[in-house]
Amino acid sequence: MRQLNREPTVAADIVQVYRTFLANFQVDVQDVYRRAGFDRVPHSRPGAKVPLNAVSELLEISAQAADEPELGLRFVTDSVPGYFGLLDHLLMSSPTIGDAFAALEDFIELSIAPAQARLAISGQTAVLTVGLPRLLSAPSQQFIDLFAATIVRRIKPIEGARWYPEQISLPRYRPTKLSRYEEGFGPRINFEASELRLVLARSDLQTKQIDICLGLHETVRLAAQNVFADSGRQSDFADIVGDAISTRLLASRRAALTSVARELSISPRT
């Protein structure tokens, strides 16, 4: 089956949490959400997704309204974790940094889709590369800041510890002020990269996170596997329907509900 185009999406949890965060600034929150296309906050449920373009637009508009160029970074440090849904909880419950990276490789699309994370180990160096969706209409600087800072903050062995990746590359333009970026990512930051990349010492992968409940990570991972399997089945079915419509039925002008159901040997209700 041919690959159908997919609109980039992100976990809906972030929309709810960001609204609470934005209320701390002197901005008209309702107007900001309306301008970004969120006339009302979508109801969040496990696995729910919203358009990534809309969320990126929301972050950019609110940063301008608050006159805060680093609002995405502030959101990460000032907000309660969990806004990336199950992926966020997988990172927080990971016994080691290596476990967190494995969770990113396996489950990044539970929070951002389409996206891919890859861990490469060579000699004494480990490199995590994250390919984020190419946003088609909205600027993405604030979202890139937010997502990259979330990863680094979640994998820090001890909250507040002076630990940073050996190097980080961000696919965003170089900001005027670097102090908050150095505070969040460390002193070795590259900008205007093609992909998000974190470089660590190989030994860092075995670094244990503190105050982790033994067994919790496997429980959350099992939940993520179940959600991922369900979303995969839904995606496959949607692709099958879309393929039938676009490749066989549109040409004959028979893309009605009953003809689609007949083509796929299912009931119109299904």
Side-chain angles (χ1 to χ4, degrees):
M1 183 184 301
R2 64 187 179 83
Q3 182 65 40
L4 301 179
N5 292 329
R6 299 162 60 192
E7 180 183 14
T9 59
V10 66
D13 307 62
I14 194 171
V15 181
Q16 305 266 11
V17 178
Y18 193 74
R19 187 182 186 99
T20 302
F21 164 76
L22 200 57
N24 297 315
F25 297 84
Q26 298 298 315
V27 300
D28 186 335
V29 177
Q30 184 173 350
D31 180 64
V32 167
Y33 270 68
R34 180 190 58 78
R35 290 166 58 195
F38 293 101
D39 294 330
R40 58 191 181 93
V41 178
H43 294 290
S44 180
R45 67 184 188 281
K49 298 289 184 66
V50 293
L52 181 53
N53 273 310
V55 171
S56 294
E57 189 75 21
L58 171 66
L59 297 174
E60 298 293 336
I61 292 173
S62 57
Q64 294 174 10
D67 193 24
E68 175 55 82
E70 297 145 358
L71 196 61
L73 295 179
R74 290 195 58 177
F75 173 69
V76 176
T77 57
D78 296 352
S79 299
V80 176
Y83 45 78
F84 276 121
L86 267 176
L87 181 66
D88 215 339
H89 292 285
L90 275 166
L91 297 180
M92 288 187 293
S93 66
S94 296
T96 68
I97 292 177
D99 292 320
F101 283 179
L104 277 166
E105 284 190 293
D106 293 340
F107 298 113
I108 189 171
E109 287 215 354
L110 286 180
S111 293
I112 305 171
Q116 185 179 46
R118 307 180 302 276
L119 178 64
I121 300 174
S122 178
Q124 299 305 310
T125 301
V127 180
L128 178 74
T129 303
V130 180
L132 295 172
R134 295 187 179 276
L135 304 187
L136 302 179
S137 61
S140 56
Q141 311 299 316
Q142 294 292 330
F143 181 79
I144 289 169
D145 287 351
L146 188 159
F147 183 68
T150 298
I151 293 178
V152 173
R153 191 171 180 84
R154 297 292 182 266
I155 66 175
K156 275 195 173 185
I158 305 173
E159 183 67 25
R162 298 290 296 179
W163 178 93
Y164 298 106
E166 292 194 352
Q167 184 175 309
I168 186 166
S169 299
L170 301 177
R172 54 107 69 222
Y173 63 79
R174 184 181 180 86
T176 304
K177 296 181 180 179
L178 295 179
S179 57
R180 191 178 291 274
Y181 288 86
E182 292 174 345
E183 179 182 340
F185 299 119
R188 300 185 63 185
I189 313 173
N190 297 322
F191 295 96
E192 301 180 11
S194 59
E195 293 180 301
L196 170 61
R197 296 175 74 248
L198 283 79
V199 180
L200 288 75
R202 183 173 184 171
S203 58
D204 282 343
L205 297 178
Q206 304 303 318
T207 301
K208 294 183 178 180
Q209 301 200 74
I210 306 301
D211 297 329
I212 297 297
C213 176
L214 295 178
L216 176 61
H217 182 67
E218 288 307 314
T219 300
V220 179
R221 190 177 180 88
L222 179 60
Q225 287 173 342
N226 292 336
V227 172
F228 198 73
D230 289 341
S231 65
R233 284 193 290 269
Q234 293 168 5
S235 176
D236 290 345
F237 182 71
D239 284 355
I240 291 170
V241 173
D243 191 62
I245 291 172
S246 61
T247 62
R248 299 194 293 277
L249 299 178
L250 281 182
S252 59
R253 300 180 181 276
R254 294 189 297 114
L257 174 62
T258 53
S259 59
V260 172
R262 189 181 307 114
E263 179 76 15
L264 299 176
S265 300
I266 58 177
S267 69
R269 180 181 178 84
T270 300

